[in-house]
């Protein structure tokens, strides 16, 4: 009999303890009432407000070792009446504080849908339902009695705007005058840009020849004297073809100086005549190196004069001489009259050039 009484007492004690913990998980304990506060106490449409929901629970929520955890509310919790911007759950012992930030979008009573806090923390758990009290959203129009919150204001000019407008007007006027001047002097403008393009083309042509001469001079013994002479002569002829006249590609070496006199109408300066003579002399020398090798004439004496090979240092002398000639040709003709200046050749002798082409 005593054993039956002891067994019954144990069963009743187990049922009581189980009921206590089961009630703690499925709902809020009856001994502690949850407290809900709103901050600020009076809110209007568009304000950011916060609901603070404080409650007690003897069962620890799945928050890990942290006493603060952010919450993410599902889309089903959102509404056209309000938007939840965030939330968090914090604890101090058995006291928990649920904070929810939201923005109301309409006037009147806002009813929040109930949700399960355990499911919000972990989708695999359930059993702790939260029912928030409705929140009243006040009307600022009813409170102030004014239909217009702020009277309309005239446009406000920033400091210095007037001066900026004046400066813009002056700049537009100057630009308009420049456009008119360009239109009235269109031929002069076109000639100016055409001259710039021609000068740019001549400069590129000269740089191309100088690079070629520098490369050949560095080649040294890697290239024979005949090949060196041929490469140099072809490079100079291409330069003269672009700079002066295409006839320089086919004119023999002994006719180079006569061609210079012809295209300039015999109006070259002393410096230009000297350059033309040097080019003609260099072409004759390089043609001899190219074509007289192993000929009977190349064995004549003295050997230094008739041998079809460059003497020591002669290659460098030829390259330096040609560089000076190019610099002389590319210098602007300061003393040349405008009426006698040939834009194509860049030297005096326009009349002579016209007579040649005529």
């Amino acid at each position: 009999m005593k054993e039956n009484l002891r067994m019954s007492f144990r069963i009743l004690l187990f049922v009581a303890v189980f009921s206590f913990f089961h009630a703690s998980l499925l709902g809020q304990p009856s001994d502690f009432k949850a407290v809900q506060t709103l901050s600020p106490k009076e809110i209007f449409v568009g304000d950011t407000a916060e609901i603070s929901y404080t409650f007690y629970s003897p069962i620890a929520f799945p928050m890990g070792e942290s006493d603060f955890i952010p919450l993410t509310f599902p889309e089903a919790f959102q509404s056209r009446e309000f938007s939840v911007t965030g939330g968090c759950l914090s604890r101090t012992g058995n006291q928990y504080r649920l904070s929810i930030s939201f923005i109301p979008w309409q006037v009147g009573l806002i009813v929040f849908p109930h949700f399960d806090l355990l499911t919000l923390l972990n989708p695999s758990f359930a059993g702790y339902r939260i029912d928030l009290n409705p929140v009243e959203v006040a009307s600022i129009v009813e409170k102030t009695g004014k239909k217009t919150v702020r009277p309309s204001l005239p446009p406000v000019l920033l400091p210095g705007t007037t001066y900026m407008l004046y400066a813009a007007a002056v700049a537009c006027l100057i630009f308009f005058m420049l456009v008119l001047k360009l239109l009235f002097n269109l031929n002069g403008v076109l000639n100016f840009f055409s001259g710039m393009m021609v000068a740019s083309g001549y400069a590129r042509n000269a740089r191309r020849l100088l690079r070629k001469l520098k490369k050949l001079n560095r080649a040294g013994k890697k290239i024979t004297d005949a090949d060196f002479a041929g490469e140099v002569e072809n490079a100079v002829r291409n330069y003269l073809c672009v700079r002066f006249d295409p006839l320089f590609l086919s004119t023999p070496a002994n006719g180079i100086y006569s061609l210079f006199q012809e295209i300039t109408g015999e109006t070259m300066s002393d410096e230009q005549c000297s350059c033309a003579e040097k080019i003609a002399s260099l072409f004759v020398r390089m043609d001899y190196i190219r074509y007289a090798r192993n000929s009977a004439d190349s064995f004549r004496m003295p050997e230094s004069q008739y041998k079809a090979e460059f003497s020591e240092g002669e290659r460098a002398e030829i390259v330096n001489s040609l560089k000076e000639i190019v610099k002389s040709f590319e210098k602007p003709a300061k003393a040349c009259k405008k009426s006698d200046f040939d834009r194509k050749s860049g030297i005096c002798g326009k009349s002579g050039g016209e007579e040649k082409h005529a």
Side-chain angles (χ1 to χ4, degrees), residues 165-182:
L165 292 176
Y166 288 151
V170 172
C172 291
L173 181 61
I174 295 174
F175 177 76
F176 182 70
M177 294 174 63
L178 290 176
V179 171
L180 288 179
K181 186 176 181 179
L182 290 176

Side-chain angles (χ1 to χ4, degrees), residues 24-246:
S24 299
L25 284 174
L26 296 180
Q28 302 177 24
S30 57
D31 296 340
F32 303 99
K33 291 185 178 181
V35 178
Q36 177 177 323
T37 58
L38 179 66
S39 178
K41 294 183 178 180
E42 187 176 30
I43 59 174
F44 302 94
V45 173
D47 290 345
T48 298
E50 181 184 67
I51 292 178
S52 179
Y53 188 84
T54 305
F55 61 94
Y56 292 87
S57 175
I59 303 303
F61 286 89
M63 297 175 62
E65 297 180 357
S66 176
D67 292 332
F68 176 89
I69 184 172
L71 299 177
T72 302
F73 290 85
E75 292 292 335
F77 197 72
Q78 307 289 345
S79 171
R80 290 186 300 178
E81 300 177 356
F82 63 92
S83 297
V84 175
T85 59
C88 65
L89 178 65
S90 59
R91 66 183 174 186
T92 305
N94 291 336
Q95 179 180 346
Y96 289 85
R97 181 174 178 269
L98 173 65
S99 298
I100 302 176
S101 299
F102 70 98
I103 301 175
W105 298 119
Q106 70 177 32
V107 177
L109 197 65
I110 293 181
V111 179
F112 295 94
H114 61 82
F115 61 93
D116 195 300
L117 183 58
L118 282 173
T119 304
L120 202 62
L121 294 172
N122 192 329
S124 61
F125 296 158
Y128 201 93
R129 173 170 166 171
I130 299 293
D131 290 305
L132 298 176
N133 297 327
V135 174
E136 182 74 22
V137 180
S139 172
I140 194 171
V141 175
E142 294 179 357
K143 182 177 181 179
T144 60
K146 297 180 179 180
K147 296 183 179 180
T148 303
V149 177
R150 180 178 296 176
S152 59
L153 296 176
V156 178
L157 292 177
L158 296 175
T161 303
T162 304
Y163 297 105
M164 292 180 62
L165 292 176
Y166 288 151
V170 172
C172 291
L173 181 61
I174 295 174
F175 177 76
F176 182 70
M177 294 174 63
L178 290 176
V179 171
L180 288 179
K181 186 176 181 179
L182 290 176
L183 291 177
F184 283 118
N185 298 276
L186 186 59
N187 289 333
V189 173
L190 293 178
N191 290 334
F192 173 76
F193 283 106
S194 177
M196 288 185 61
M197 293 179 63
V198 171
S200 176
Y202 288 160
R204 288 196 302 270
N205 183 43
R207 288 195 298 269
R208 184 163 53 247
L209 174 60
L210 294 176
R211 285 196 300 267
K212 183 68 173 179
L213 293 175
K214 185 177 181 181
K215 180 179 179 181
L216 291 172
N217 190 32
R218 288 181 174 180
K221 297 299 183 180
K222 295 180 181 179
I223 182 173
T224 64
D225 289 343
D227 291 338
F228 176 84
E231 291 285 344
V232 170
E233 184 173 348
N234 289 334
V236 176
R237 285 183 179 274
N238 289 328
Y239 164 77
L240 295 175
C241 171
V242 175
R243 188 63 175 81
F244 298 109
D245 196 284

Side-chain angles (χ1 to χ4, degrees), residues 270-286:
D270 293 340
E271 182 181 358
Q272 293 165 353
C273 288
S274 177
C275 291
E277 291 175 354
K278 288 181 180 178
I279 290 179
S281 176
L282 289 175
F283 277 11
V284 171
R285 174 61 175 160
M286 286 186 286

